[in-house]
């Protein structure tokens, strides 16, 4: 006779396997800590403390919150943050691309949501679930607007019920908070704004992605000023573009001795998201090229650490 269900060990791998149909499993060791504004860092730190203080909270009639909604412009680190949070708890992140839950046929989206959460039932305490770009659920695919609205409502009802019933940790992320259903918004225990970085965070992000090239603080201050309004993702692209150019341009026979030309090549190839403000470096390149020429160029490269590949 088979073992009674309650004695069976939770089958984590099976749950995660099934979740792969709708997303990706991100392991803790692959996580990277995003550079965030102090307010967001504090909210995350408090949440982690809350999760780790279950006993003390239960003694005063509270349970740790298990759901949070991260909202903010694209490329500000919402997915990175969810991954980092899961890693801090030593758990894999099931990063569900919500769009993949959307089906073409009537009732299919709701069934997919149910399939996802059923699949995770055994793994709910062994992973963190991220419903990424959650606004994608209910996007219009049908040509009949009425059928589409009905389908969206059905899917939403299923989603609300499933998130409510889920006993593990569930994070949702969206770039489009204004399009979120109010009931869905309220379903999460916290709503955390992950906004475009301020000067201090831009400086830290530029510094992180400049490694192993030596930019002194003054140079980074200058780049921080002319990238006001840039998302962390764009700042990363900018710095990685610089590093790529510094390594590859000489190989391609291209000169790297003019800082403005190198920056120009990058700003021509990577642009801010159309919904986001144009940072000064993109808006009026020529004005800022003069300032860029104050940077000692090309930057020196830190010596490679022993044993590093
Ligand atoms: N706050 C941040 N600090 C450092 N790097 C970041 C940050 N936000 C985004 N990035 C980098 O930009 C890329 C896209 O970030 P992502 O987390 O996908 O943003 P979002 O989910 O908000 O659209 C990632 O490769 C990440 O390394
Ligand atoms: Mg994301």
């Amino acid at each position: 006779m088979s073992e009674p269900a309650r004695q069976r060990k939770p089958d984590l791998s099976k749950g995660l396997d099934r979740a792969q149909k709708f997303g990706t499993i991100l392991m803790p060791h692959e996580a990277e800590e995003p550079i965030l504004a102090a307010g967001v860092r504090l909210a995350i730190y408090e949440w982690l403390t809350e999760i780790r203080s279950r006993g003390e909270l239960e003694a005063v009639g509270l349970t740790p919150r298990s759901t949070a909604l991260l909202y903010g412009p694209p490329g500000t680190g919402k997915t990175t943050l969810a991954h980092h949070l899961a890693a801090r708890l030593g758990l894999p992140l099931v990063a569900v691309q919500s769009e993949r839950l959307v089906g073409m046929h009537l009732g299919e989206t709701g069934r997919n949501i149910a399939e996802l959460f059923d699949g995770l039932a055994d793994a709910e305490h062994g992973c963190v679930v991220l419903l990424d770009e959650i606004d994608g659920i209910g996007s219009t695919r049908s040509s009949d607007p009425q059928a589409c609205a009905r389908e969206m409502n059905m899917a939403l009802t299923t989603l609300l019920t499933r998130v409510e019933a889920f006993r593990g940790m569930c994070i949702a992320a969206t770039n489009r908070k204004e399009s979120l259903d109010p009931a869905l918004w309220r379903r999460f225990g916290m709503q955390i704004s992950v906004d475009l970085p301020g000067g201090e965070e831009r400086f830290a992000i530029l510094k992180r992605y400049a490694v192993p090239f030596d930019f002194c603080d003054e140079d980074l201050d200058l780049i921080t000023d002319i990238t006001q309004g840039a998302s962390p993702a764009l700042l990363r692209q900018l710095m990685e573009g610089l590093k790529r150019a510094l390594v590859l341009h000489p190989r391609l026979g291209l000169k790297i001795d003019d800082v403005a030309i190198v920056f120009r090549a990058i700003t021509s190839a990577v642009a801010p998201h159309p919904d986001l403000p144009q940072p000064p470096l993109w808006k009026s390149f020529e004005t800022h090229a003069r300032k860029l020429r104050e940077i000692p160029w090309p930057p020196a490269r830190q010596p490679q650490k022993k044993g590093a590949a």
Side-chain angles (χ1 to χ4, degrees), residues 22 98 100-118 137-138 150-162:
F22 304 110
S98 301
R100 281 166 70 176
L101 292 165
V102 178
M104 301 285 280
H105 305 292
L106 196 67
E108 198 180 342
T109 307
R111 281 196 299 278
N112 285 342
I113 296 170
E115 187 185 338
L116 168 75
F117 281 97
D118 283 346
I137 297 184
R150 247 195 338 265
E151 171 72 2
M152 191 176 150
N153 284 341
M154 269 161 51
L156 206 57
T157 308
T158 310
L159 184 66
L160 290 168
T161 318
R162 288 307 189 122

Side-chain angles (χ1 to χ4, degrees), residues 26-47:
L26 303 174
M27 299 314 283
H29 71 270
E30 298 162 336
E32 160 193 19
E33 182 168 1
I35 293 167
L36 298 165
V40 186
R41 278 205 314 272
L42 181 64
I44 298 303
Y45 180 65
E46 280 183 358
W47 194 22

Side-chain angles (χ1 to χ4, degrees), residues 16 58 115 145 169 175 202 264:
L16 297 186
E58 281 176 352
E115 187 185 338
M169 278 184 63
N175 297 336
R202 280 203 310 283
R264 186 63 173 160

